[in-house]
Amino acid sequence: MASASVPVERADGAQSAYAASQWKLVWWRFRRHKLAMAGLAVVIALYVVSLFPEFLAIADPHERNAKKLYLSPTPVQILDGWLPMPFVYGLKSERNPETLALEFEPDTSKKYRIQWITRGYEYKLFGFFTTDWHLMGLDTEDDLAAFHILGTDRMGRDLWSRLMLATRISMSVGLLGVIISLFLGILLGGLSGYYSGAVDVTIQRMIEFLRSIPTIPLWIALAAAVPRDWSVVKVYFAITVLISFIGWTTLAREVRGRFLVLREDDFVIAARIYGSGAMRTIFRHMVPNFISHIIATTTLAVPTMIIAETSLSFLGLGLRQPVISWGVLLFEAQNIRAVSSAPWLLVPGAFVLLSVLAFNFMGDGLRDAADPYSIHG
Amino acid sequence: MIQFLAKRLAIYVPMLALMSIVSFGIIEAPPGDYLDDYVALLKASGEYDEGDAQRLERRYGLDSPFYVRYWKWVSGVVRWDLGDSLEFRRPVNELVNDRLAMTVVLGVFTVVFTWTMAIPIGIISAVKQYSFIDYAFTFLSYLGVGTPNFLLALVLMWTAFSVFGVSITGLFSDEYIDAPWSLGKIWDMFTHMWVPMLILGTDGTARLTRILRANLLDELGKPYVETARSKGLSEWRLILKYPVRIALNPFVSTAGWTLPTLFSGSLIVAQVMSLPTVGPLLLKALQSQDMYMAGSIVLILTALTLVGTLLSDIVLGFMDPRIRMGA
Amino acid sequence: MTNDSDTLIRVEDVRTHFFLDEGVVKAVDGVSFDLARGATLGVVGESGCGKSVLARTIIRIVPRPGRTIDGAIWYHRPSEGGGERPIDLASLEADGAEIRDIRGGEITMIFQEPMVSFSPVHTIGDQIVEAVTLHRNATREEARAIAVDTLRRVGIPNAESRIDEYPFRLSGGMRQRAMIAMALSSNPTLLMADEPTTALDVTTQAQILELMADLQEEFGMAMMLISHNLGVVAQTTERIIVMYLGKVVESADVRTLFRDPKHPYTQELLKSVPKLRRRRQTERLAAIYGSVPSPYERPAGCPFHPRCPQFMAGECDVIEPTLKAVSEGHSVSCLLYSEETDS
């Protein structure tokens, strides 16, 4: 049989597919989504920034400079002649004869070369190791040598450096919030789906209740109730917990739905018949079966957290100075006149958008990869 | 149908009661005594009057146990007696009435806008799946969902200000802000309304487009579509009559869920664009710890949301006989 | 093309392929057959053999990404004057006015799943009246009267009130009756039924089959019954074509096919039909060896050869057989018989 080799080959291929673990299958399918892969790359990049924000910062993000208020982004010259050695020009300040405001112009007579892996302000890496190494900086103390990639704010603080630190806070609020949500969601959704009956009805009513109230008015009200004299760390956790309360309902619904389907599945019934207890059945037999869906839903919940934090802080009700988050930075952009004279204040918004899109793309890709048969929009 | 609505009401009424307790919790949450603050404020402004304090004391039962305080407050809200604002020193309902009307008008317009945009876009995206137009709309909807609407508001305002030199804040031109209601004022409001409507509607449009597209894709593969096609109906007519109609059902039932999001979103956008809605008022109340006003506004917003949800239940009942007949 | 006035439909070498990312699925691959006016035809084959796609090809409702790429479907359309005019359905625009006039009017179709083949949010009446007004010159009242009448004729009790019911209030059997009523309401010349009884329980199955046979006689239309079940088809039709992987492998009238099946596939199919007069209780139903191969990898030569008990190495896996007549009205596509006719 000449053609008999064809089905045999196919069977072999199929066998290697069956032999691959579920994770490998999900990963193979995920890899096919180009947008999802791009999302993953951006998310990884943002978390790398969150690990070493001070290293990436150029100047102390809290350092004010009354002479450099609303300084526009420094034009970085990439090529020096033909050599790729980036440098910036110095500044010369002039008083505008009409408005009497101090205006800056590049002083092309002075060149400052950008130094890579250099020393700058002192900080504590991971909160432990005191160091002063930074990715880049200028090797000068000259006050007219300005290296502000994204300009400065109304207090003359370097926006790029602040943005690096804000990335850590905002991304970690998203992550921490989602972990709390996930815990609540799996616990309550799982109980709801596993026991059904009165437990289910109660939890479902609670979810319905939480979903039908306008969240932001309630949450800003609760955020406003956070005492002003609390320490920075306390406020950070209070706000994160508040935000996580928004997200858990979606997760709980997802978990419950999965549970309802799985509960009737043969292998779960078998586990029960063989005397496996409730918690053991849930965590040993049921959770592994929909963990990929949970991860997808969780990924899709992170943007909600990030937007919530940003919104609260933007209103001045979430995180507050001296904590820096994307929302805290955008708080500076509330005044439209400030924005029109210093549009770079909107750059943190671009980071919000970028992270939200990245998580959405990644989450959609994960969801499709976890469940190739469902159609999602 | 009556039975169905009664069932829904049986859920919403306790929900509202529960929410009133939560709102009351908000009022009681900040540390410190409301009356002390008020007295301090009055003393500072030199208008202190012993009678004022006593009147307040009676009004809110501030020395009574909490359930008496709760009852006094909540029965006041029901009678639309919202007490006085500590910040503005005026009765709260005077402050709230106009702004509430604005909030509702803006909300209704945004929902209408959202639907008129989302339905055709969703249908075209699903029917022309994987076409250029589908990809374009999908990309836009990702962008729409991804952009926090206050950010969109900021960017639009900045663009309008720096490119065209116009300010797109508020809902009225300067000459109409304090003017009594007239045809001119209403027209003026409409000319200002579309910007906030666009901003508020973007997120909802994007979400609903995606939901409708997914629903419709599910429905397009169902056998009843093929039956309709085998009858000799033209493609567009059959799509509009059958699958679209059915794909819209979950759409209508989730329309209730869009209201909380809408009111939530409008709050921040209203603050950024200084719209005369209740949002900025609530923020102001919270910032100045004027908690009675804040709690009342939260409760009113919740009630509005539930009314909206109930309306969408009614529409759904009319659209889907399975629900109407309790199947 | 033919001038035989008796012919209603002549299908000539029709090919409908599905163009998927994974490859091309040749669902219908060169099928030809004739159907006379008022005649009945059964189409039999395992799932995936292309029988359903064949029916959809005829009324041009093949879903994307399927396309009819070749062949002709000559439909002898009755014209106003009393004569007829042959039209090639395959050459018409799939969503054009002419095919839509024929589809649902002169050629109608019944589907497998009565539970989901009606829109759940429109009444049965609404959906039948729509079909009537589309194809008959009738006002809404007249259309409604026609609908009630047809519902009565398919055996739905209280048709006047049942017409305003939503589908979810009817049982499966009743729904399939309503489906038949919808297909009959426009007085078709050809009724195609795609597995009309598969989703029903056995008692209802028998009732529906009987009803269809009665109605076919009463209305005098041609009928094409598609089923995986030879028994169902034998009960209701005069001629049968057997399909395998998009091709017709055997075509004969019912008696000949049952008495003298030529193609090994037909023989195997017949063995899998339960018989009442079984010689011994212990005799087991035979299942066909193997399963239908992946649609993307059609075997070379005769598509049935990997499963064929009479496989001839060097021939069946190399030469592709064609449909040849073995006797009057009986043709088969198998190399076992090619010498007899060729040489």
Side-chain angles (χ1 to χ4, degrees):
Chain A
M1 281 167 79
S3 64
S5 64
V6 176
V8 170
E9 243 175 40
R10 196 155 29 85
D12 276 352
Q15 218 155 45
S16 74
Y18 286 127
S21 73
Q22 197 197 343
W23 293 112
K24 259 193 185 145
L25 283 176
V26 169
W27 170 242
W28 285 347
R29 287 195 293 257
F30 181 80
R31 241 179 4 190
R32 290 218 304 254
H33 294 262
K34 293 208 173 55
L35 275 177
M37 286 298 283
L40 178 68
V42 171
V43 168
I44 290 176
L46 286 173
Y47 277 114
V48 168
V49 171
S50 310
L51 280 178
F52 313 102
E54 297 96 341
F55 175 71
L56 295 166
I58 297 166
D60 184 347
H62 298 290
E63 189 188 75
R64 301 175 182 190
N65 187 337
K67 286 184 202 153
K68 291 180 180 173
L69 311 183
Y70 288 135
L71 205 61
S72 60
T74 314
V76 176
Q77 314 295 320
I78 306 287
L79 292 180
D80 190 0
W82 289 102
L83 295 172
M85 300 177 78
F87 66 94
V88 294
Y89 287 117
L91 292 174
K92 52 183 180 198
S93 60
E94 267 170 23
R95 205 163 279 282
N96 185 318
E98 284 170 39
T99 61
L100 296 179
L102 210 54
E103 287 182 353
F104 291 98
E105 290 225 341
D107 179 0
T108 45
S109 64
K110 284 182 187 159
K111 277 185 188 176
Y112 300 96
R113 203 164 297 288
I114 291 169
Q115 308 289 320
W116 298 103
I117 316 289
T118 177
R119 286 171 186 274
Y121 78 95
E122 218 169 67
Y123 62 92
K124 280 188 174 160
L125 186 66
F126 305 130
F128 292 111
F129 316 105
T130 306
T131 174
D132 58 357
W133 286 103
H134 294 270
L135 177 65
M136 51 190 173
L138 296 184
D139 191 17
T140 172
E141 294 292 310
D142 192 340
D143 214 26
L144 284 176
F147 181 34
H148 302 291
I149 301 178
L150 293 177
T152 63
D153 66 2
R154 83 194 141 86
M155 291 181 178
R157 296 172 294 200
D158 179 44
L159 189 60
W160 165 263
S161 308
R162 290 174 69 75
L163 191 56
M164 291 300 107
L165 265 93
T167 303
R168 163 185 282 176
I169 298 293
S170 288
M171 293 296 281
S172 70
V173 166
L175 196 65
L176 201 60
V178 106
I179 289 172
I180 301 173
S181 283
L182 189 64
F183 175 74
L184 284 172
I186 291 188
L187 187 71
L188 292 170
L191 289 175
S192 190
Y194 188 81
Y195 284 112
S196 65
V199 178
D200 185 31
V201 170
T202 315
I203 295 175
Q204 286 310 303
R205 286 284 163 276
M206 196 157 88
I207 291 177
E208 209 166 309
F209 172 67
L210 281 175
R211 282 179 69 114
S212 62
I213 52 178
T215 39
I216 294 189
L218 181 64
W219 264 258
I220 60 169
L222 290 176
V226 172
R228 310 250 151 153
D229 51 0
W230 275 17
S231 71
V232 172
V233 180
K234 257 188 180 173
V235 170
Y236 172 83
F237 280 109
I239 296 294
T240 309
V241 168
L242 265 180
I243 287 168
S244 71
F245 272 43
I246 301 175
W248 74 269
T249 53
T250 324
L251 280 162
R253 288 192 152 211
E254 175 88 359
V255 174
R256 174 177 174 268
R258 295 281 154 200
F259 262 72
L260 286 181
V261 175
L262 275 178
R263 210 169 48 145
E264 306 304 327
D265 250 10
D266 293 343
F267 73 94
V268 173
I269 294 175
R272 258 198 246 164
I273 290 171
Y274 283 102
S276 175
M279 281 301 151
R280 192 182 150 79
T281 313
I282 291 179
F283 284 101
R284 184 83 185 81
H285 297 282
M286 296 171 82
V287 171
N289 256 284
F290 56 78
I291 195 100
S292 50
H293 293 270
I294 298 299
I295 292 176
T297 314
T298 310
T299 312
L300 288 171
V302 178
T304 322
M305 308 282 156
I306 291 178
I307 290 183
E309 181 276 319
T310 312
S311 304
L312 281 181
S313 306
F314 173 74
L315 290 173
L317 290 165
L319 303 173
R320 289 186 283 261
Q321 300 278 5
V323 174
I324 312 170
S325 77
W326 290 334
V328 171
L329 290 181
L330 283 172
F331 181 71
E332 300 279 332
Q334 257 203 19
N335 182 346
I336 199 63
R337 271 163 217 284
V339 174
S340 62
S341 60
W344 52 90
L345 291 178
L346 286 175
V347 172
F351 270 64
V352 176
L353 184 62
L354 189 70
S355 67
V356 169
L357 282 180
F359 274 111
N360 272 332
F361 285 142
M362 196 174 119
D364 278 353
L366 274 172
R367 190 172 54 181
D368 290 349
D371 187 1
Y373 302 110
S374 67
I375 302 169
H376 293 288
Chain B
M1 185 78 183
I2 302 280
Q3 212 183 359
F4 164 69
L5 285 182
K7 254 191 230 160
R8 302 307 295 173
L9 270 179
I11 296 171
Y12 295 151
V13 171
M15 245 184 202
L16 196 57
L18 196 59
M19 195 53 208
S20 72
I21 296 173
V22 175
S23 306
F24 189 67
I26 294 172
I27 295 175
E28 300 266 312
D33 191 328
Y34 175 75
L35 190 66
D36 289 351
D37 285 356
Y38 191 58
V39 169
L41 189 89
L42 287 184
K43 273 185 177 156
S45 62
E47 295 175 38
Y48 180 60
D49 177 354
E50 199 61 50
D52 272 356
Q54 277 165 10
R55 199 164 43 75
L56 269 172
E57 189 95 47
R58 270 200 310 281
R59 169 69 183 79
Y60 293 118
L62 293 176
D63 279 339
S64 332
F66 92 95
Y67 53 88
V68 177
R69 296 199 301 270
Y70 167 74
W71 180 249
K72 289 206 166 182
W73 168 71
V74 85
S75 57
V77 174
V78 172
R79 278 181 280 113
W80 207 247
D81 170 11
L82 304 176
D84 292 330
S85 161
L86 180 135
E87 169 83 9
F88 297 92
R89 316 227 30 222
R90 278 169 63 194
V92 172
N93 53 14
E94 266 179 37
L95 291 164
V96 163
N97 284 347
D98 269 10
R99 285 174 172 264
L100 207 56
M102 284 299 144
T103 309
V104 172
V105 170
L106 187 59
V108 168
F109 270 81
T110 308
V111 168
V112 171
F113 166 77
T114 306
W115 280 56
T116 45
M117 294 298 287
I119 293 178
I121 294 177
I123 293 174
I124 292 172
S125 279
V127 174
K128 306 266 174 218
Q129 194 191 7
Y130 301 139
S131 64
F132 169 75
I133 199 160
D134 178 30
Y135 282 124
F137 280 134
T138 305
F139 176 74
L140 280 178
S141 74
Y142 266 113
L143 219 55
V145 172
T147 320
N149 50 23
F150 71 86
L151 201 62
L152 186 65
L154 275 181
V155 171
L156 277 186
M157 282 163 66
W158 168 55
T159 315
F161 190 82
S162 56
V163 178
F164 304 106
V166 289
S167 159
I168 51 170
T169 53
L171 275 184
F172 300 102
S173 310
D174 288 342
E175 64 265 34
Y176 281 113
I177 287 182
D178 288 319
W181 281 103
S182 63
L183 278 180
K185 184 169 179 173
I186 292 174
W187 176 246
D188 183 60
M189 182 178 79
F190 284 133
T191 56
H192 283 77
M193 185 88 85
W194 67 272
V195 182
M197 192 176 80
L198 196 76
I199 292 166
L200 285 173
T202 305
D203 173 70
T205 306
R207 269 173 214 282
L208 290 184
T209 304
R210 282 169 67 180
I211 297 174
L212 181 60
R213 179 179 178 274
N215 286 348
L216 193 53
L217 281 176
D218 274 352
E219 293 298 328
L220 282 175
K222 295 264 175 81
Y224 70 83
V225 178
E226 196 167 42
T227 309
R229 195 172 287 136
S230 79
K231 271 194 240 181
L233 280 170
S234 71
E235 199 60 21
W236 273 110
R237 208 173 132 192
L238 81 89
I239 285 174
L240 290 180
K241 179 165 178 185
Y242 295 105
V244 166
R245 170 75 189 278
I246 294 166
L248 279 178
N249 281 349
F251 209 62
V252 174
S253 64
T254 51
W257 303 120
T258 64
L259 280 169
T261 330
L262 188 60
F263 283 135
S264 297
S266 81
L267 196 146
I268 304 176
V269 171
Q271 174 69 12
V272 177
M273 301 188 71
S274 26
L275 303 179
T277 59
V278 284
L281 200 63
L282 173 61
L283 273 175
K284 194 112 193 164
L286 287 168
Q287 276 156 358
S288 58
Q289 303 267 301
D290 190 351
M291 296 317 277
Y292 271 95
M293 183 153 105
S296 304
I297 290 176
V298 169
L299 184 57
I300 292 166
L301 281 180
T302 313
L304 271 183
T305 311
L306 288 180
V307 169
T309 315
L310 190 66
L311 286 178
S312 75
D313 283 342
I314 294 175
V315 176
L316 184 66
F318 275 112
M319 277 186 67
D320 194 334
R322 288 172 295 189
I323 286 174
R324 194 165 61 227
M325 299 183 171
Chain C
M1 260 215 64
T2 175
N3 291 321
D4 187 356
S5 65
D6 225 24
T7 304
L8 178 66
I9 277 203
R10 165 161 290 188
V11 174
E12 287 173 353
D13 199 30
V14 153
R15 281 165 215 275
T16 298
H17 295 182
F18 284 76
F19 299 89
L20 303 164
D21 293 342
E22 292 87 345
V24 177
V25 175
K26 298 175 177 174
V28 174
D29 198 26
V31 167
S32 306
F33 65 88
D34 275 9
L35 183 58
R37 224 166 267 288
T40 53
L41 175 75
V43 182
V44 177
E46 286 165 290
S47 42
C49 73
K51 53 193 194 302
S52 295
V53 176
L54 177 64
R56 284 161 176 77
T57 303
I58 291 174
I59 52 173
R60 307 296 311 283
I61 57 165
V62 176
R64 279 184 306 180
R67 266 205 327 264
T68 303
I69 51 164
D70 199 10
I73 303 161
W74 291 105
Y75 169 60
H76 293 243
R77 190 176 191 193
S79 52
E80 312 271 313
E84 58 184 39
R85 188 167 55 93
I87 309 171
D88 179 13
L89 300 183
S91 69
L92 297 178
E93 183 93 26
D95 194 31
E98 187 158 23
I99 186 74
R100 280 195 283 111
D101 209 21
I102 296 169
R103 181 200 300 159
E106 291 158 44
I107 306 178
T108 57
M109 190 158 172
I110 303 170
F111 297 90
Q112 181 173 359
E113 300 277 349
M115 307 308 274
V116 284
S117 290
F118 275 113
S119 154
V121 299
H122 298 84
T123 61
I124 299 280
D126 186 30
Q127 298 179 59
I128 299 180
V129 166
E130 179 183 46
V132 176
T133 47
L134 264 175
H135 298 288
R136 283 178 157 195
N137 244 333
T139 62
R140 272 201 82 80
E141 287 74 36
E142 288 163 4
R144 195 183 152 86
I146 292 173
V148 171
D149 182 53
T150 331
L151 282 173
R152 205 179 288 132
R153 284 166 81 170
V154 298
I156 291 187
N158 301 327
E160 296 83 356
S161 57
R162 280 301 175 90
I163 189 169
D164 293 319
E165 292 279 21
Y166 286 94
F168 62 87
R169 312 266 279 199
L170 301 181
S171 70
M174 280 299 147
R175 250 185 263 192
Q176 195 59 300
R177 282 171 195 264
M179 186 53 92
I180 294 171
M182 186 155 85
L184 291 179
S185 61
S186 59
N187 265 334
T189 56
L190 169 62
L191 173 69
M192 296 191 291
D194 184 7
E195 305 266 9
T197 59
T198 310
L200 304 174
D201 62 72
V202 183
T203 350
T204 323
Q205 252 185 40
Q207 288 171 1
I208 295 285
L209 282 178
E210 202 172 315
L211 174 73
M212 289 182 63
D214 292 349
L215 289 169
Q216 189 265 326
E217 240 164 76
E218 190 183 332
F219 281 77
M221 69 213 163
M223 188 161 81
M224 190 168 135
L225 183 64
I226 296 160
S227 179
H228 65 282
N229 186 335
L230 253 179
V232 164
V233 172
Q235 211 178 320
T236 353
T237 60
E238 302 149 359
R239 274 193 75 77
I240 291 181
I241 58 179
V242 180
M243 286 182 71
Y244 188 78
L245 282 185
K247 288 181 185 298
V248 175
V249 293
E250 187 159 8
S251 154
D253 62 88
V254 174
R255 282 184 157 276
T256 319
L257 195 81
F258 271 74
R259 217 177 31 219
D260 183 24
K262 291 290 187 200
H263 199 283
Y265 179 60
T266 317
Q267 292 164 0
E268 295 291 308
L269 268 184
L270 277 169
K271 278 186 208 161
S272 67
V273 176
K275 294 186 194 75
L276 278 179
R277 275 168 291 155
R278 202 162 278 290
R279 264 170 255 147
R280 284 211 311 273
Q281 279 297 317
T282 49
E283 189 181 0
R284 295 186 59 184
L285 272 181
I288 303 179
Y289 166 78
S291 56
V292 183
S294 154
Y296 309 115
E297 292 167 40
R298 177 197 294 269
C302 171
F304 188 58
H305 83 259
R307 305 170 70 189
C308 186
Q310 302 178 54
F311 168 67
M312 301 179 290
E315 295 207 24
C316 293
D317 51 358
V318 181
I319 307 163
E320 200 176 330
T322 51
L323 203 60
K324 300 242 165 63
V326 286
S327 63
E328 178 67 35
H330 187 178
S331 33
V332 63
S333 162
C334 178
L335 294 172
L336 285 173
Y337 308 100
S338 60
E339 283 89 353
E340 297 164 30
T341 45
D342 272 5
S343 54

